[in-house]
Amino acid sequence: MSTAVEEGALLWEPSEEFKQQSVVAEYMRWLATHKSLQFGSYDELWQWSVTELEGFWASLVEFLGIVFDRPWQRVLAERTMPGARWFEGAEINYTENVFRHASGTRPALISRSETRPLEELSWAELERQVASVAAWLRSNGVGKGDRVVAYMPNIPETVVAFLAAASLGAVWSSCSPDFGTEAVLDRFGQIEPKVLFAVDGYSYGGKLFDKMPVVRELQQGLPSVTCTVLLPYAATGTAADLPNAVEWQAAVSARGEPLRFEPLPFEHPLWVLYSSGTTGLPKALVHPVGGTIVELSKQLAMHCDLRAGDRLFWYSSTGWMMWNFIVSGLLLGTTTVLYDGNPGYPDMEVLWRFAEQARVKLFGTSAAYVTSCLKAGLNPSQRFDLSALRCLASTGSPLPPEGFAWAYDCVKRDLWLVSVSGGTDVVSAFVGGCPLLPVHAGELQARALGVKMDAFDEQGNSVRDQLGELVVTEPMPSMPVFLWNDPDGSRYRESYFEMYPGVWRHGDWVKITRRGTCVIQGRSDSTLNRLGVRIGTSEVYSAVEALPEVADSLIIGLELPNGGYYMPLFVMLQPGARLDDALRERIKLTIRGHFSPRHVPDEIIAVAAIPRTLSNKKMEVPVKRLFMGVPLDKAAKIGATSNPRALEDFQALARRASPLLV
């Protein structure tokens, strides 16, 4: 087990060799040689990158060798948000920028699933398959601007379909096959797709899930779909069982011309991603092809320290933005490593075993997975050859200090641990890793290059060493060009620019320290504010979930009409644990010791499960709404939760326990 560690404790420092061999150090040397720009530290480089946006982004695309089909006239027309126009006049193609790295000596993809052994796909075979599927799409009338969607897992066929669509200028969107019909229709129904790629079923945790009934419902609910391509992944059905459908093999074996690339305006839509949609229709976020290429190339090269041939793994489903992120490793020529299955099946070591087999350099996962490994007492360093591993990366929620400590105690001593925070909204990170800087427990190393991120108080003043709203005060190339079905842009402005006009407000609490590191402390719309003292919910979770009896937790705060404040804590216990008076007292003492007596919950309530979104985020706001008396159908979208029964249980609990309802 890992040792206790305080937030801010120094855990690792890069060696001089590690720093000098990094991509960001190479970039700094290149700036000195080619642009006569000298920077003595990462902070100096960051300050320049967010002040001289035009110079930074122009130098970056030159340094990385990003391919344009038509050059730009100017990098940034104006710095307004929303509405900034990047690389005006330029034309570019995502798939073209992938295949400029094609190699005969290293694989493009490595994959494994619960039903498939470890496999490699060469660059040549990837190109052949993408060319065939693109030819099939073209022969079926798909062209620039048409929408192509996938109800597919994290497997090579999904990557092939995406790259084929992107080569034509079609707009891509995907949902994981663990999404139910309602959740998928809430997303795909907004964008009226022309072609649907789907699997007949999948295996998860050793159980087979037949998805043919859902595919039929999707066909009926998406009248714009003219053809469905079915991949027989689980042997539960065939294309013959569906109207207007063909087998995957027919598309991937299509006879056609060599792969070619449609030149696209820089702001042409590449894909549509979605917000969680817990309280209504999810926002359909449209990201630009050019902005996505340059932003993700920067993030992967500068902040993940990846080059051609490196092996990038991040456990993800196709319904989470991290799938788009890891596939974009191909823009640098990295080998993207894919896994489809339950990370805890047949045991908690399955992903570490896979990392050994695939010789992964960057192992990406969620904070929840790291915490689960800690609680399970895993020690991968003693069980697996992780000599290829240089970086462990975590995102999805804040990684607590004890998670940092476990990584160094049980994964690898000489490890660059990267905790990352960003958003589906920009399909990238605001703050994350820097190979030039030390790692401190519970802290994110640095704000990302080109991202002028700050912490604001309620009056819009920049603050340090205290909680503030996470804001971005200058535009990023990957910010959405628009939201689908938002013709006047009103929903876009209300979502991000209402609190601070002209400034992107992301909705997270962040503390920026004096040394430039950051601590993310939960969503600002679910913060706890008792007696005028605010703390982020993630701080409570870090403390409570460190207890061995607690598997998961959720806390809310309710303002009462009499001026009071009701703060219940819900805990899901480990198997065999019991919420008795002794455990209640230990939970209270833990919270009191970490924070103050005013943050001790009014009640501690055991629940069977904590409601989470399809992307595994705690549903704090919907639970709070239930306790305020909002009906379930208005408090949350049932189809947006991974465990609808949990929300129903909380509705019943609210009726019994909420002081606003009893």
Side-chain angles (χ1 to χ4, degrees), residues 9-15 18-19 24 42-43 46 299 302-305 362 390-394 404 408 415-421 430-449 453 510-520:
L10 178 64
L11 297 178
W12 177 85
E13 289 191 83
S15 67
F18 188 90
K19 289 190 284 189
V24 70
Y42 177 80
D43 184 64
W46 180 82
Q299 190 66 35
M302 301 295 162
H303 299 288
C304 296
D305 197 36
L362 188 153
R390 294 184 69 191
C391 178
L392 175 63
S394 168
F404 279 72
Y408 285 100
L415 182 72
W416 176 34
L417 178 57
V418 173
S419 184
V420 180
S421 183
F430 303 121
V431 58
C434 176
L436 307 180
L437 299 175
V439 172
H440 296 267
E443 298 181 359
L444 290 75
Q445 286 179 289
R447 289 172 283 181
L449 295 175
M453 190 268 275
V510 65
K511 178 176 71 176
I512 303 176
T513 72
R514 296 288 176 182
R515 62 171 173 261
T517 60
C518 299
V519 180
I520 303 294

Side-chain angles (χ1 to χ4, degrees), residues 228-284:
T228 298
V229 182
L230 186 76
L231 173 69
Y233 186 50
T236 61
T238 68
D241 301 325
L242 301 169
N244 302 318
V246 300
E247 297 280 341
W248 168 262
Q249 196 58 37
V252 82
S253 301
R255 296 167 60 187
E257 62 283 344
L259 182 61
R260 54 183 210 263
F261 312 106
E262 179 71 26
L264 302 168
F266 196 84
E267 295 198 342
H268 183 82
L270 171 65
W271 52 40
V272 180
L273 276 66
Y274 306 93
S275 64
S276 59
T278 55
T279 57
L281 270 184
K283 295 190 293 289

Side-chain angles (χ1 to χ4, degrees), residues 51 66 97 134 186 304 315 318 380 418 498 541 558 577 587 627 659:
T51 304
I66 292 171
N97 272 278
D186 279 351
C304 296
Y315 180 79
T318 56
V418 173
E498 192 168 55
Y541 303 145
L558 292 177
I587 291 173
F627 271 69

Side-chain angles (χ1 to χ4, degrees), residues 111-279:
S111 62
R112 187 186 155 196
S113 76
E114 290 188 9
T115 56
R116 291 175 173 179
L118 188 141
E119 299 173 328
E120 294 187 357
L121 190 69
S122 69
W123 279 94
E125 179 61 15
L126 178 63
E127 184 169 356
R128 186 200 69 75
Q129 292 188 24
V130 170
S132 294
V133 174
W136 182 88
L137 287 169
R138 195 179 293 111
S139 70
N140 281 271
V142 175
K144 187 165 68 173
D146 290 328
R147 274 75 68 201
V148 174
V149 298
Y151 188 58
M152 303 260 287
N154 184 23
I155 55 178
E157 290 89 341
T158 314
V159 179
V160 169
F162 160 58
L163 292 176
S167 73
L168 303 174
V171 183
W172 173 263
S173 194
S174 63
C175 283
S176 172
D178 61 353
F179 284 26
T181 305
E182 180 189 1
V184 179
L185 291 177
D186 279 351
R187 289 157 174 78
F188 291 168
Q190 297 185 59
I191 65 173
E192 300 178 297
K194 195 168 190 175
V195 171
L196 167 67
F197 287 86
V199 288
D200 59 342
Y202 66 97
S203 179
Y204 189 85
K207 297 179 182 178
L208 185 67
F209 293 86
D210 180 6
K211 305 305 291 189
M212 289 295 287
V214 176
V215 175
R216 293 188 189 95
E217 291 171 347
L218 295 181
Q219 286 186 313
Q220 295 169 1
L222 298 170
S224 58
V225 169
T226 59
C227 187
T228 298
V229 182
L230 186 76
L231 173 69
Y233 186 50
T236 61
T238 68
D241 301 325
L242 301 169
N244 302 318
V246 300
E247 297 280 341
W248 168 262
Q249 196 58 37
V252 82
S253 301
R255 296 167 60 187
E257 62 283 344
L259 182 61
R260 54 183 210 263
F261 312 106
E262 179 71 26
L264 302 168
F266 196 84
E267 295 198 342
H268 183 82
L270 171 65
W271 52 40
V272 180
L273 276 66
Y274 306 93
S275 64
S276 59
T278 55
T279 57

Side-chain angles (χ1 to χ4, degrees), residues 584-601:
R584 281 192 171 90
E585 189 60 28
R586 282 206 296 126
I587 291 173
K588 291 178 180 179
L589 287 172
T590 297
I591 293 175
R592 183 180 288 113
H594 276 75
F595 310 112
S596 73
R598 65 171 61 90
H599 293 113
V600 171

Side-chain angles (χ1 to χ4, degrees), residues 422-621:
T424 300
D425 320 72
V426 295
V427 72
S428 189
F430 303 121
V431 58
C434 176
L436 307 180
L437 299 175
V439 172
H440 296 267
E443 298 181 359
L444 290 75
Q445 286 179 289
R447 289 172 283 181
L449 295 175
V451 181
K452 196 166 186 181
M453 190 268 275
D454 208 340
F456 274 12
D457 64 15
E458 293 178 358
Q459 289 72 44
N461 302 308
S462 179
V463 295
R464 291 294 177 271
D465 284 326
Q466 67 183 70
L467 276 183
E469 290 274 359
L470 191 160
V471 298
V472 182
T473 61
E474 295 283 6
M476 294 170 60
S478 63
M479 285 175 172
V481 281
F482 57 88
L483 306 186
W484 208 274
N485 293 329
D486 181 30
D488 63 356
S490 58
R491 192 180 186 198
Y492 190 6
R493 291 190 298 273
E494 290 165 6
S495 297
Y496 305 106
F497 301 101
E498 192 168 55
M499 178 174 284
Y500 309 109
V503 171
W504 175 287
R505 171 189 171 263
H506 192 63
D508 281 344
W509 284 126
V510 65
K511 178 176 71 176
I512 303 176
T513 72
R514 296 288 176 182
R515 62 171 173 261
T517 60
C518 299
V519 180
I520 303 294
Q521 297 188 341
R523 297 292 294 173
S524 59
D525 54 6
S526 58
T527 191
L528 305 172
N529 185 2
R530 188 175 230 171
L531 300 177
V533 179
R534 299 183 306 188
I535 63 169
T537 54
S538 67
E539 294 185 274
V540 175
Y541 303 145
S542 174
V544 171
E545 292 169 22
L547 296 171
E549 296 90 345
V550 180
D552 202 358
S553 62
L554 186 146
I555 191 167
I556 61 170
L558 292 177
E559 302 282 352
L560 302 181
N562 61 3
Y565 195 79
Y566 173 64
M567 194 166 70
L569 170 69
F570 309 97
V571 292
M572 184 180 85
L573 301 178
Q574 297 282 7
R578 189 166 64 91
L579 185 61
D580 54 18
D581 290 343
L583 180 55
R584 281 192 171 90
E585 189 60 28
R586 282 206 296 126
I587 291 173
K588 291 178 180 179
L589 287 172
T590 297
I591 293 175
R592 183 180 288 113
H594 276 75
F595 310 112
S596 73
R598 65 171 61 90
H599 293 113
V600 171
D602 297 293
E603 277 192 275
I604 302 173
I605 303 169
V607 295
I610 299 298
R612 288 178 174 267
T613 69
L614 292 167
S615 56
N616 205 37
K617 298 188 186 303
K618 300 185 190 195
M619 299 179 72
E620 296 164 322
V621 172

